[in-house]
Amino acid sequence: MSFKAIVLEKDENHGFTCSIKTVPQQQLLAQQGDTLIEVHYSSINYKDALALTNKSPVVRQWPMIPGIDGVGCVIESANGHYQKGDMVILNGWGCGETHWGCLGQYAYLKSQWLIPLPQNITPYQSMVLGTAGYTAALCVKRLLDFGIKPQNGAILVTGASGGVGSVAVALLSKLGYSVTASTSKMDDQDYLRKLGATNIIDSQPLKQTGKPLQKEQWAAVVDVVGSHTLANACAQTQYGGIVACCGLAQGIDLPATVAPFILRGVTLAGVDSVMATYQNRLAAWQLLSQHLDASMLSHIGKTITLNDCNDIATKMIAGQIKGRYVVDVNKCI
C-alpha cells in the first residue's frame, strides 16, 4: 500500500525540492515508531513553513515528510497503549525535523508522543488549534499557575494575528481577562476584536530599542516575538508580573537588562511545546477544551490541501497571513 505526502529532499549538490509524492508504506514503517496513524488533518506552523521553504535548517534528516501537528485514527499500535480506532493528537517531538511528520495521509509515530483527542474537540478543531493553540494554552496556564487574575490588569499578547497569538487572545478573553493585542497588521483589528481583544496596538514601537524600565502597563505578557519586543514587554510589565515567552518571530536575541527582574520582580518564564511532558500536554488541551469558545475556531481557521502548503508557507514566512491553516491531507491532486 502507498499514500500521498509532501516530501522534502536534497540532492548531492544540496539542491532542495518540495513536492507531493506517492510513498510506499514500507518506507514509512522503516521509521522508528510503534503506532501507525491514518492522518485526518495536519496544520501549517511557523516551523513547518521554515521547513517547506528551506529558509532555516529545521530538517535534519533527508528525505523528510514535514508536519509537526497531526490528528488521526490509530490503525495499529505495537505496545497496546492505544487501540485500533482511537483518535489521537500529535504535537511536536521532532516530527518534521528528525522523524517523518503528518503532512501525509499516514504517519508512524511513538505512542508516548500522542495524547487522546479530547471528547468535546473535533479532529478538525484540534488542528485549528494545533501546536499554536496548544502552545498558547501552555502560556496561559503559566499565567494562571502564577496567580495572575483578571483584576490584576491588562494582559499583552504580541504577534496577536498569528496562530499562537490568536488563540491566546481568544482563550484569555474567554477567561475574563482584558487583552491588549499587539500586531503589525493594523488592518486585522476587526479580526482581533472578534477574538475578544479589548485594545489593539501597533507592534512597531515594541520592535524598537527601548529604555530598560518603562511605564508599568501589563499584569502579564504572552510573547511570541522575542528580540526587542520581548525586552520592551519585560520593561513594561508591572511589579511582580510575569512574561511567558514562547517564540522568536522578530529574532532569537534578547537585548535587555536585568532591571525589570531585580527592580520590579518580573518573572520571565520560558514555554516549550516540543518536549513538554505528557501531563503538561493533557493540562493544556484540557484548558482549551473547557474554556475556549468553539465558535472562535471557525473565525481563526481556514482549510487547505497538501497542494496549497508551499504557498501558505511562503506567505507565513513573509508575515502575510493571520489565524491558522488546517491541512486536509486527504484532498490533493
Side-chain angles (χ1 to χ4, degrees), residues 158 203-211 214 221 223-235 243 245-257 261 268:
T158 67
S203 66
Q204 289 305 316
L206 286 171
K207 293 180 178 179
Q208 309 305 314
T209 301
K211 295 180 179 180
Q214 301 170 38
V221 179
D223 176 64
V224 305
V225 181
S227 192
H228 288 286
T229 297
L230 177 55
N232 286 319
C234 291
V243 178
C245 164
C246 68
L248 43 67
Q250 185 181 357
I252 198 170
D253 60 319
L254 180 55
T257 74
F261 313 116
L268 178 57

Side-chain angles (χ1 to χ4, degrees), residues 8-321:
L8 309 180
E9 296 177 287
K10 276 191 175 180
D11 61 26
E12 62 274 10
N13 297 317
H14 303 290
F16 173 79
T17 59
C18 170
S19 58
I20 297 174
K21 289 195 169 186
T22 299
V23 181
Q25 193 175 85
Q26 60 266 31
Q27 192 174 351
L28 173 68
L29 296 177
Q31 294 282 304
Q32 291 186 351
D34 56 32
T35 304
L36 180 63
I37 307 296
E38 182 180 10
V39 181
H40 291 188
Y41 299 100
S42 184
S43 69
I44 302 293
N45 298 278
Y46 193 75
K47 187 178 287 185
D48 297 311
L50 291 173
L52 287 161
T53 58
N54 197 36
K55 293 294 184 182
S56 180
V58 169
V59 177
R60 297 190 292 278
Q61 173 185 310
W62 304 93
M64 176 58 63
I65 295 176
I68 68 174
D69 280 341
V71 62
C73 179
V74 173
I75 302 300
E76 58 184 37
S77 185
N79 67 4
H81 188 73
Y82 290 102
Q83 305 300 316
K84 182 178 181 180
D86 287 346
M87 294 297 297
V88 293
I89 297 173
L90 169 80
N91 301 119
W93 289 114
C95 290
E97 301 174 72
T98 59
H99 188 96
W100 283 9
C102 292
L103 280 172
Q105 295 170 317
Y106 287 87
Y108 192 52
L109 308 168
K110 295 182 179 181
S111 59
Q112 64 263 34
W113 297 345
L114 306 170
I115 65 165
L117 176 71
Q119 289 187 350
N120 55 337
I121 294 180
T122 68
Y124 179 84
Q125 289 172 337
S126 76
M127 288 298 102
V128 175
L129 294 165
T131 285
Y134 145 68
T135 302
L138 287 172
C139 291
V140 171
K141 188 173 184 300
R142 288 299 293 268
L143 307 191
L144 298 177
D145 291 346
F146 194 78
I148 299 296
K149 295 179 171 53
Q151 58 265 33
N152 294 139
I155 310 296
L156 173 68
V157 176
T158 67
S161 297
V164 176
S166 293
V167 177
V169 169
L171 183 56
L172 285 164
S173 175
K174 189 66 165 54
L175 288 166
Y177 292 87
S178 174
V179 182
T180 294
S182 169
T183 180
S184 61
K185 307 179 185 74
M186 294 303 287
D187 291 341
D188 289 346
Q189 291 192 51
D190 287 344
Y191 168 79
L192 291 167
R193 292 197 187 281
K194 286 179 182 177
L195 292 180
T198 51
N199 190 29
I200 299 166
I201 61 174
D202 191 331
S203 66
Q204 289 305 316
L206 286 171
K207 293 180 178 179
Q208 309 305 314
T209 301
K211 295 180 179 180
L213 280 179
Q214 301 170 38
K215 180 182 177 182
E216 297 177 55
Q217 299 187 61
W218 323 114
V221 179
V222 174
D223 176 64
V224 305
V225 181
S227 192
H228 288 286
T229 297
L230 177 55
N232 286 319
C234 291
Q236 295 174 7
T237 298
Q238 296 171 9
Y239 188 94
I242 181 172
V243 178
C245 164
C246 68
L248 43 67
Q250 185 181 357
I252 198 170
D253 60 319
L254 180 55
T257 74
V258 299
F261 313 116
I262 65 173
L263 298 180
R264 289 183 181 163
V266 171
T267 295
L268 178 57
V271 175
D272 167 64
S273 62
V274 177
M275 306 297 288
T277 66
Y278 182 78
Q279 290 74 20
N280 282 342
R281 289 168 184 266
L282 285 181
W285 278 99
Q286 184 178 27
L287 185 66
L288 291 166
S289 66
Q290 289 180 344
H291 296 290
L292 190 65
D293 185 348
S295 66
M296 287 295 98
L297 296 181
S298 60
H299 182 55
I300 295 172
K302 302 176 183 66
T303 307
I304 61 174
T305 70
L306 290 176
N307 306 85
D308 305 314
C309 289
N310 194 263
D311 179 56
I312 294 301
T314 300
K315 291 178 179 177
M316 183 175 287
I317 296 297
Q320 296 173 349
I321 69 167

